Amino acid sequence: MTSTRTARLSRATALALLAAASGSVDALAFIALGHVFAGVMTGNLILLAIALGSRSPGDAGFPLVALAGFSIAVIVAGRICRVGKAADGAAGSGGRAGPGRWDGGVYACLAADTVVLAGVGVAWAAVGGHPDGVGRAVLIAVLAVAMGLQTGAMLAAGPEGAPTTYFTSTLSNLLTYPSGSGVAAFRLAALMVGAVGAAALHTWTPAWAACPPPVLTAAAVVVALVAERRRR
């Protein structure tokens, strides 16, 4: 019983860390990369529609770039996770994760997510936190890829995952069923903390504003791995 409770707490912590990372990424994308989102694709669809409807096709560029990067990454993440499930099944786990556990494909996607975000952090620091021109388009595409990998990993995790890059349904469930929604509230709070932190860093030390996302994502992976090792 204690090990199950610990596993659930560890999973909730890992998911909150991922939510904080996505909050940071989306805040930076909106503030510094052309008022678009890296993870909230419904927002980008609306921005794309506005650009087309207002006869400003030039404004459709960044939303399209983000949509393309995110979509490609989700597709790739799905394939990676299917391979991971197949490998776990061949190893005797039946392709299913136990309480608080993620399979190899989920870890692979999150590791790739961390590497991509770390690369963005280096590039961001190199331009002093103020990308412009083509650099903006490249960074929004890469950040969208990172959020697509994270989204695909959480979708593949099934009951052991949860939304960490989009939260409309989470907020709706929290408002509809406030009792017993502490974990969802924890993720929403983490999202806000991540966004606030990114905005503050971009205001006061812009060159370092992109450092928290890879750190938070790596921390989520470490928390999940440590919990699994303790469980074993």
Side-chain angles (χ1 to χ4, degrees):
M1 187 69 175
T2 302
S3 62
T4 300
R5 188 181 298 113
T6 301
R8 289 176 177 172
L9 177 60
S10 298
R11 184 183 65 185
T13 301
L15 292 172
L17 289 167
L18 291 176
S22 71
S24 299
V25 168
D26 266 328
L28 289 178
F30 192 83
I31 292 170
L33 299 177
H35 295 97
V36 295
F37 300 99
V40 185
M41 290 302 115
T42 48
N44 287 331
L45 286 171
I46 297 300
L47 292 173
L48 176 60
I50 291 172
L52 296 176
S54 60
R55 297 181 182 179
S56 301
D59 294 339
F62 284 171
L64 276 174
V65 167
L67 284 162
F70 184 89
S71 300
I72 292 170
V74 168
I75 293 170
V76 171
R79 293 184 178 180
I80 291 173
C81 289
R82 282 196 295 272
V83 171
K85 286 182 182 297
D88 285 350
S93 65
R96 294 188 298 272
R101 295 179 60 193
W102 295 335
D103 61 36
V106 171
Y107 282 116
C109 288
L110 292 178
D113 179 19
T114 303
V115 171
V116 171
L117 289 173
V120 170
V122 172
W124 196 280
V127 297
H130 297 289
D132 56 12
V134 176
R136 281 188 177 184
V138 171
L139 285 176
I140 191 59
V142 175
L143 286 175
V145 166
M147 293 299 95
L149 289 169
Q150 182 174 314
T151 300
M154 291 299 97
L155 287 172
E160 306 303 331
T164 57
T165 58
Y166 52 92
F167 289 88
T168 301
S169 61
T170 303
L171 178 60
S172 298
N173 287 331
L174 180 61
L175 294 173
T176 305
Y177 308 104
S179 60
S181 299
V183 175
F186 188 30
R187 291 202 315 277
L188 280 171
L191 175 82
M192 292 295 296
V193 169
V196 169
L201 283 173
H202 190 264
T203 299
W204 300 106
T205 56
W208 301 102
C211 291
V215 174
L216 290 166
T217 306
V221 173
V222 170
V223 167
L225 285 171
V226 169
E228 182 173 340
R229 176 169 293 185
R230 287 179 177 174
R231 180 180 178 277
R232 289 178 177 176

